[in-house]
Amino acid sequence: MKKHLTIVIKLGTSSIVDEKTHQPLLSILSTIVETAVSLHKEGHKVVIVSSGAIGIALRRMNLNRRPKHLPKVQALAAIGQCHLMSLWDQLFMHLGQPVAQILLTRNDIADRTQYLNAQNTFVELLNMGVIPIVNENDTLSVTEIKFGDNDTLSAITAGMVQADYLFLMTDVDCLYDKNPRTNPDAKAIGVVEDIADLEADVSSAGSALGTGGMSTKIVAARLATSAGVTTIITRSSKPGNIASILRYAETQRGVRTPVMRSPSRNSMLSSQELPLRIATIEQAAMASEQLDEALRKKDGMNGTHSPKPEAAEQPPLHTRFLPDLHPIRDRYFWLLHGLTPHGTLYIDSGAHRALADKAGLLPVGVVDVDGSFAQQEAVRIVVVKRLSGNEYEKHDPPPVEVGRALVNYSAAEIRRIRGVRSTEISGVLGYADSEYVALRENIAFLVRNSRPSTPSRLLPNTEIKTPVQA
Ligand SMILES: Nc1ncnc2c1ncn2[C@@H]1O[C@H](COP(=O)(O)OP(=O)(O)O)[C@@H](O)[C@H]1O
Ligand SMILES: N[C@@H](CCC(=O)OP(=O)(O)O)C(=O)O
């Protein structure tokens, strides 16, 4: 690998403490430390998102299971976080690597200035050669200000530090089309080009101490890939695999199932030249070489195509989610994922078109309002088909969420000015703070991939190892 990458590694509780005895899994922690230090020595920047505070506290306090009572859980988090950080610090200290603790709640990043402060701290720590170790500040978090799970927190962290890779390390080899713990015939998924096309059952719960099972990892992958971060799910018991998966993934960077959209695009191939849509890792690697070869031949005249990539080495089992082609970064990422929406604005298709043309949201385009929010709070933007007045179609077509916005008026105010011209705002409210309900710079669109559906690539029959066998 030539490039200096930024890599976020997330370890779930199941990777930090034994599911039954709650004893720290020292061998995993040590190998993660060795891996992180060796990546760091190669010039990469590494951030660790570590769960496990509550799990580790269970053993400290001789408890058999996680309590239900919130203050007790928060007290345990305070006990465990201290122990957890001391473990990480000692292990990293043996290799002379300084670390830093960052504890976040959603509230901490809801304010743009605080978000930027957190981002600056990450940048500074990484520039100082320090490995930040992140966890949710469970002692302060209640439902309203919780990220909820560290998968989401790791994806937000990856977006914040503009990471190249997010590794979601867990107790199974990869994502399967159904839960491998209960389905011995589950099939491993190698590459997910577009999460919208993912067909996998992730509805069942995860390990005894984990939060959310696979479903929160898919949410995290969606969020991280939208910010341009390649996301990998793999087994934590062999952290050394991170380096080989990284090497492999770097050889595959930019390789996607080619799509024939326009015959005039010179990088598009004919159907005979297309590689397999559903492929094993080996087939995908081979297909990418064939594709490269074909493109090289096509571009041979003017020599525009890049040189042949290095041959891909055989990687350990993992699922790789490819980053979006048009990543959302910086302020727009913060608007979409840093803030919790407090309500919904239903807008008509004319307003949607105007927003797409970079205009702000005028009250005349707002059809309805849901929820209770104040000025400068975040709301969902949902497009509906206006029928007459403020009536809209609820089913055909269904309302579609297209983005998020920070509003200039409260929910109560917008209910009064919806559908009116901006010049009439002061007549209705007695004042007019702005002609816009939301300024364009305060509106962010969720990216919808315009590629035709690309099924996830399944791997050939792989032996399923349960957490106990691994
Ligand atoms: N489709 C699926 N593919 C893989 N694992 C799945 C799937 N559906 C559910 N799971 C479960 O998700 C678990 C991992 O989630 P979790 O226990 O929350 O991990 P962590 O503590 O690492 O965050 C696996 O042990 C597995 O039982
Ligand atoms: N913040 C909590 C972990 C929450 C969480 O998301 O856990 P997991 O699903 O195991 O990654 C703790 O440190 O115990």
Side-chain angles (χ1 to χ4, degrees), residues 9 11 15 27-32 35 167 169-173 234-245 316-318 463 465-467 469-470:
I9 303 172
L11 289 138
S15 311
S27 57
I28 296 188
L29 297 187
S30 308
T31 329
I32 284 284
T35 304
F167 279 83
M169 310 294 290
T170 185
D171 61 355
V172 284
D173 283 311
T234 192
R235 184 184 283 282
S236 60
S237 58
K238 295 183 191 123
N241 286 351
I242 292 176
S244 20
I245 294 173
L317 260 184
H318 66 280
E463 188 199 347
K465 293 195 208 84
T466 63
Q469 289 167 322

Side-chain angles (χ1 to χ4, degrees), residues 10 14 170-171 176 178-181 201 206-207 213-214 217:
K10 185 262 170 177
S14 61
T170 185
D171 61 355
Y176 291 83
K178 47 197 165 195
N179 190 349
R181 282 192 193 232
D201 177 5
S207 57
M214 265 304 141
K217 293 183 193 2

Side-chain angles (χ1 to χ4, degrees), residues 114-136:
Q114 278 183 227
Y115 177 88
L116 291 175
N117 283 343
Q119 193 173 40
N120 290 340
T121 305
F122 272 114
V123 170
E124 203 55 45
L125 286 168
L126 292 171
N127 287 343
M128 287 165 79
V130 173
I131 296 186
I133 302 184
V134 187
N135 195 358
E136 174 144 26

